Amino acid sequence: MRPRIMRAASRSTAKAEAANFVGDVLSDPVYAPEQPSRLRASRVTFMPGGRTNWHQHAVGQVLYVLSGVGRYQLEGEPVQEIVAGDTVVIPPNARHWHGSAPGTMMCHLAMSETDDQGRATSWFEPVSDGDYTKTPAKAD
């Protein structure tokens, strides 16, 4: 790893992989792992209706909501509303999903690491419309 400024113009926005997302989702790379770091960071923008599939991260994940209103659900728990300024801490290997709230967009910074064996994210089935449109739990 060497010190430098990674200029925004050197990285392009990409449409997120359809195999792992529902709806329109854009991803901007912020940082890819370089030894000795295992950190990956991406700015992810979910258009209305956009969301991840169910997935889990070997070392967990941290989301920082930059703008908009979104949804997050840890498997077995109620859907939660997330808004600009919220930080979501997701434990290792916890199945979850996140995305925009119905009718609005949401953008977050997603940060995760690979583990000692090089494992990062495991992807599963799409989140159903029924799960996506559930009324979020009251904020605590």
Side-chain angles (χ1 to χ4, degrees), residues 10-39:
S10 71
R11 295 166 284 171
S12 299
T13 298
K15 188 163 173 35
E17 292 182 46
N20 299 329
F21 294 84
V22 174
D24 292 325
V25 180
L26 303 174
S27 181
D28 293 281
V30 173
Y31 184 77
E34 296 176 7
Q35 290 296 325
S37 176
R38 298 179 188 164
L39 174 69

Side-chain angles (χ1 to χ4, degrees), residues 9 12 14 27 30 35 39 48-49 56 61 72 74 80-81 85 87 101 105 110 115 123-125 127-129 131 140:
S12 299
S27 181
V30 173
Q35 290 296 325
L39 174 69
Q56 63 190 32
Q61 184 178 44
Y72 158 76
L74 187 65
Q80 301 288 321
E81 182 175 86
T87 299
M105 60 77 61
D115 68 10
W123 292 98
F124 304 107
E125 71 279 3
V127 173
S128 70
D129 288 343
D131 282 342
D140 38 337

Side-chain angles (χ1 to χ4, degrees), residues 63 70-74 78-80 82 88-90 96-98:
L63 306 174
R71 298 284 188 268
Y72 158 76
Q73 184 177 20
L74 187 65
V79 174
Q80 301 288 321
I82 54 178
V88 181
V89 179
I90 304 161
H96 68 284
W97 67 268
H98 38 97

